[in-house]
Amino acid sequence: MTRVLVVGSVNMDLVVEAERYPRLGETLFGKRFASYPGGKGANQAVAAARLGAQVTLLGCVGRDMFGSQLKEALQAEGVDIGRLREAEVATGLATITLAEGDNAIVVVPGANHELLPQHLDQDEQAFRDADVVLAQMEVPLATVERAAELAQRHGKPFLLNPAPAHPLPSSLLERAALLTPNEHELAQALDERGGDWQALMRKLPGRVAMTRGKDGAYFCRADGSLHHQPGFVVSAVDTTGAGDTFNGALAAFWPQGLEAAMALACAAAALSVTRAGAQGGMPTLAALQQMLK
Ligand code: ADP
């Protein structure tokens, strides 16, 4: 069982469907409302847990209704939330309005921004106990940098999913055992505009696996050659959470070696797009094994 430590965000996604977008100042009746647990940290933690990893999540929620609901949901997935913090600000949330075949999203980080470097220092034991550390960019940059430092101090591979897209300081580029951007995030991470992605990948030989939607994923080997893991052919229903499933799976299967882990991560992510919702579509280990039979 791989012990995965995730350092990242926990959000509630509030999804409203309407016929059309309201004009400024207008009030509309919507068609439907639903709330879903989300946040890249929690999503990737759940993906890894469903695939059989022993997962601990370092994050922060508010002392409010959404915080309680999210903690319950994580616990039900078997994610260890013993070190999850609570702050006196609102739990992170995303309001998502679906209308006219499009979406409009406002994210309020709230408690996610209260996860500070010193909190990770207090939880240093969690880094000692992990086989692999996985982070994203939805908690403060200084916190992600501290996570990378602590992982390095304890000799644990640090996997960084540089999402949402953000230029990365050299401390992170140097410390990450692996970056897992999509094409857009890769350009942003390296602060390069318009370069071709293969050339960008070769700037980080042996340390970048780039996802490319249904085309699958690419890894730049230490010698600069590109390994392509083709995507699995499925009929896609909802691609939300594909990247999160890929990352959680990659961490869970890390001990199998990168190219094997990438194949399993692409298979798990393909399964995830066949069902609605981010966490809703994430496969169990049994479902993944069934697909690969
Ligand atoms: P993100 O959502 O972060 O941009 P991608 O769209 O690149 O991430 O998807 C992550 C992974 O999910 C891909 O590497 C691929 O393995 C899988 N995936 C995404 N979309 C599909 C699809 N339509 N069919 C099969 N696999 C997919």
Side-chain angles (χ1 to χ4, degrees):
M1 233 197 207
T2 315
R3 295 168 304 168
V4 177
L5 175 64
V6 179
V7 179
S9 59
V10 185
N11 285 340
M12 189 63 94
D13 292 345
L14 307 177
V15 183
V16 167
E17 274 181 68
E19 292 288 353
R20 62 176 176 83
Y21 287 98
R23 285 182 293 276
L24 278 184
E26 183 186 12
T27 300
L28 275 186
F29 282 113
K31 287 197 294 190
R32 245 185 302 277
F33 167 76
S35 61
Y36 303 97
K40 291 182 193 298
N43 285 349
Q44 295 180 18
V46 167
R50 287 212 189 141
L51 293 169
Q54 187 184 317
V55 184
T56 298
L57 177 59
L58 293 186
C60 187
V61 296
R63 276 183 230 281
D64 51 21
M65 184 181 73
F66 292 147
S68 310
Q69 288 175 3
L70 290 167
K71 286 198 298 185
E72 252 174 59
L74 285 162
Q75 239 165 350
E77 295 287 348
V79 173
D80 175 6
I81 56 162
R83 296 177 187 273
L84 197 73
R85 289 178 180 268
E86 289 189 333
E88 303 303 328
V89 296
T91 295
L93 64 83
T95 68
I96 302 162
T97 306
L98 304 176
E100 303 166 35
D102 216 326
N103 61 55
I105 303 177
V106 177
V107 177
V108 184
N112 293 304
H113 277 187
E114 302 298 313
L115 184 71
L116 303 176
Q118 59 265 35
H119 296 144
L120 302 192
D121 293 338
Q122 290 163 15
D123 282 324
E124 191 162 350
Q125 187 60 39
F127 289 80
R128 285 190 198 97
D129 292 342
D131 295 317
V132 39
V133 179
L134 173 63
Q136 316 76 26
M137 304 297 288
E138 287 186 336
V139 295
L141 179 61
T143 304
V144 179
E145 289 182 289
R146 185 62 56 86
E149 277 167 41
L150 288 166
Q152 189 178 44
R153 181 181 304 165
H154 296 289
K156 306 303 164 95
F158 181 68
L159 276 51
L160 178 60
N161 175 222
H166 197 286
L168 296 183
S170 56
S171 62
L172 286 177
L173 287 173
E174 284 157 16
R175 285 201 172 96
L178 191 74
L179 297 174
T180 58
N182 62 22
E183 197 171 333
H184 168 65
E185 290 152 1
L186 174 65
Q188 290 279 315
L190 295 173
D191 212 3
E192 299 260 2
R193 262 140 269 260
D196 97 86
W197 59 267
Q198 307 197 1
L200 292 184
M201 285 188 78
R202 290 197 175 95
K203 294 191 168 197
L204 293 164
R207 296 197 302 121
V208 57
M210 191 193 85
T211 63
R212 208 156 177 255
K214 64 179 189 312
D215 186 29
Y218 292 79
F219 171 59
C220 179
R221 296 194 182 107
D223 66 5
S225 63
L226 290 190
H227 165 70
H228 180 206
Q229 170 58 56
F232 289 75
V233 180
V234 291
S235 82
V237 170
D238 178 0
T239 58
T240 320
D244 289 336
T245 306
F246 179 89
N247 280 281
L250 203 64
F253 296 124
W254 185 259
Q256 303 201 20
L258 185 65
E259 292 180 17
M262 256 172 79
L264 292 166
C266 281
L271 276 177
S272 81
V273 308
T274 63
R275 288 176 57 193
Q279 295 184 13
M282 290 171 176
T284 59
L285 187 58
L288 180 64
Q289 284 164 341
Q290 181 67 31
M291 176 202 196
L292 296 172
K293 255 213 273 210

